[in-house]
Structure formats: structure tokens, C-alpha cells
Amino acid sequence: MPPSRAFAPAKINLTLHVTGLRADGYHLLDSLVMFADVGDRVTVTDAPEMHLTVTGPRAAGVPEDARNLCWKAAEWFGCAVAITLDKHLPAAAGIGGGSSDAAAVLRAMQDLYGRPFPFEGLERLGADVPVCTVGHAARMQGIGEQVLPLTMAPMQAVLVNPGVDVPTPLVFKALTEKDNPPMDEMPEGGGTPAAIAWLETQRNDLQAPAIAVQPVIADVLAALEATTGARLARMSGSGATCFALYDDRSTAEAAAAALSLTHPDWWIAPATLS
């Protein structure tokens, strides 16, 4: 049985509205998500027992045992496999790296064994895992279990991570208002300029508390806003990765190159979101 491979794209929360807090402690979310053309890669092979190897430039510190979401995803599918995770995205960065890796494992195993993975209850692996199985523009709500795939025009962006840890529980703890309005209705058929204009009126409710935990996020946002052609700068997820949107790819690439000169220690990537 030949190995099966899948791409695990970075997940970008263009919006992230925290709309409530359940009695069990789970936060209710309303978020517009798109996925970048930068990410990790997984290779899955049928095996007598579970095994995980992590390679790539971002492999350091990534667990290679049952703590890893890739391992948990394979157990969720119900087969023993050997997984190679080629890690390029920064970990714990608000771009769903672990969740996207897990979703890629599920897609690869689906192709390998010729049967679908169980979607019901998938949010128990992580709130971002269900939307990451879609892998393109979608609206996610509830605790991540409600996913509505969308058709959206691609957007050009620059992704920046300053290389600091932003523990998600600390960010949610710093969020003082847990019951915020959901997203406004999105424009239909307006194209990218209309979408960006709408996005400017929406929020990431975790941005301010994340800045309180790691003030360097404000520096990243200011640097992105100062680049030529930046239309909107915002934090993704619970941080610390931020993004800016641009009208075209060449402008985004020029902005990424300029940022790389002034901040060589940051992870910076131009990306097409879809």
C-alpha cells in the first residue's frame, strides 16, 4: 500500500468574535477563516503500530508521541499508521498548525484506506480541527463544530510571527467581555475590495487580550500597517501570528521582503488565502 500525502495549510482567522461562554467553560466563537498556500506536509503509511516522526525547519520541540494532534487524529480514524510530519509553520501561533496537521492526517488516511473519517464530534480533538478538514474559506461557529464552507475570491496577504509564546488559556483569561456580538452578514458577490471593506468593520476579540499578554504583537501590527499597500492588519486566532491584506501578490511580496530586512528574527511569509 503506497503512502498517502496531504498538505496542511496555515489557518487564518480573518475575524474572531467571542459570542458567549458555555457552562462547561467552552467559549462560543463566530469566525471567518481562510487558508494560506504555506503550511506543513504529512505523509501517512499503513503500519503495524503507531509511529510519528517530525522533520523540517520547525521540528524542534514538537512532540513525536500521543501528545501530538497528528497521533490523536490517527487514533480517531481508527488505524495504526506511520506518520511523517514535515513542519514549516511556527507552533502555538494562532494559525491552527497542529489542527491543520491533524486534519491533513485525516484526509491522508481517508485516501489511504478508501473510507471517510468520522466528522461528528471532531471538535473534541480541537476547536479548529473541523474547519481545517474543509481547508478553504469557511465560517466556523459554536465551539468549532459548526462549519459552513464558503466560496470567496483569493486574498493576498503577509503573515508575520514574532516568535513568542502566547498560551491560549491566558488570552481567554484576559478577555474581560465574553458575550460579544457575532459577525455582521457578509457581502455577497462584491469581490475582494468589498470583502476587505467589510472585514474592516469586524473584529478579533482576542487581539487586545493577546497584546496584554505579549505586547510585541502590537509592534507586529504596527509594522504591517506601515508597509506599502497594506489594506488591513489584524491578529489571527489567539496569536501571536498577525496578517496584513494587499491588493495583489507583488505588493504583498514586496512588503514581506521589506519586513524581512528590518525584522530578520521574525517568521514572515507572503501568502495567497483561499
Side-chain angles (χ1 to χ4, degrees):
M1 187 180 292
S4 179
R5 296 176 175 84
F7 181 58
K11 168 207 62 86
I12 307 302
N13 297 92
L14 296 178
T15 69
L16 182 54
H17 296 215
V18 181
T19 60
L21 180 65
R22 299 198 323 189
D24 59 7
Y26 284 96
H27 289 83
L28 298 174
L29 308 174
D30 191 10
S31 178
L32 174 62
V33 175
M34 295 183 79
F35 289 84
D37 58 352
V38 296
D40 303 330
R41 296 187 181 277
V42 300
T43 303
V44 173
T45 308
D46 186 55
E49 60 183 24
M50 286 289 300
H51 182 74
L52 172 62
T53 302
V54 183
T55 63
R58 294 274 169 171
V62 179
E64 295 184 316
D65 53 26
R67 293 172 294 167
N68 194 298
L69 271 181
C70 288
W71 188 297
K72 294 178 181 179
E75 289 182 332
W76 179 268
F77 192 92
C79 296
V81 288
I83 305 167
T84 299
L85 169 60
D86 187 27
K87 195 72 185 160
H88 292 260
L89 297 176
I95 50 177
S99 296
S100 191
D101 294 341
V105 167
L106 291 173
R107 288 195 298 271
M109 292 182 73
Q110 180 174 266
D111 292 342
L112 187 66
Y113 294 108
R115 64 177 173 86
F117 56 83
F119 187 85
E120 188 73 26
L122 200 54
E123 70 278 359
R124 292 199 289 271
L125 287 181
D128 286 334
V129 176
V131 76
C132 286
T133 64
V134 174
H136 63 79
R139 183 177 186 172
M140 60 177 287
Q141 294 175 285
I143 60 170
E145 83 286 6
Q146 301 172 36
V147 178
L148 175 65
L150 301 171
T151 300
M152 293 184 62
M155 294 189 180
Q156 302 303 321
V158 172
L159 313 180
V160 177
N161 185 281
V164 296
D165 289 332
V166 187
T168 299
L170 282 183
V171 175
F172 274 105
K173 186 177 181 180
L175 178 67
T176 55
E177 181 55 62
K178 313 282 189 180
D179 190 10
N180 301 291
M183 290 193 307
D184 296 332
E185 286 306 309
M186 292 178 283
E188 293 185 18
T192 299
I196 292 177
W198 174 82
L199 283 169
E200 290 172 340
T201 68
Q202 308 304 298
R203 316 179 307 275
N204 180 344
D205 289 328
L206 298 183
Q207 184 169 297
I211 290 171
V213 173
Q214 283 286 9
V216 70
I217 294 171
D219 298 334
V220 174
L221 290 168
L224 282 166
E225 288 168 351
T227 58
T228 301
R231 298 286 306 279
L232 169 71
R234 183 169 287 161
M235 188 184 78
S236 176
S238 57
T241 303
C242 301
F243 65 90
L245 300 178
Y246 301 83
D247 287 331
D248 54 68
R249 179 75 182 199
S250 61
T251 305
E253 289 176 346
L259 284 170
S260 296
L261 289 175
T262 55
H263 300 282
D265 53 331
W266 290 357
W267 177 81
I268 299 169
T272 299
L273 309 183
S274 60

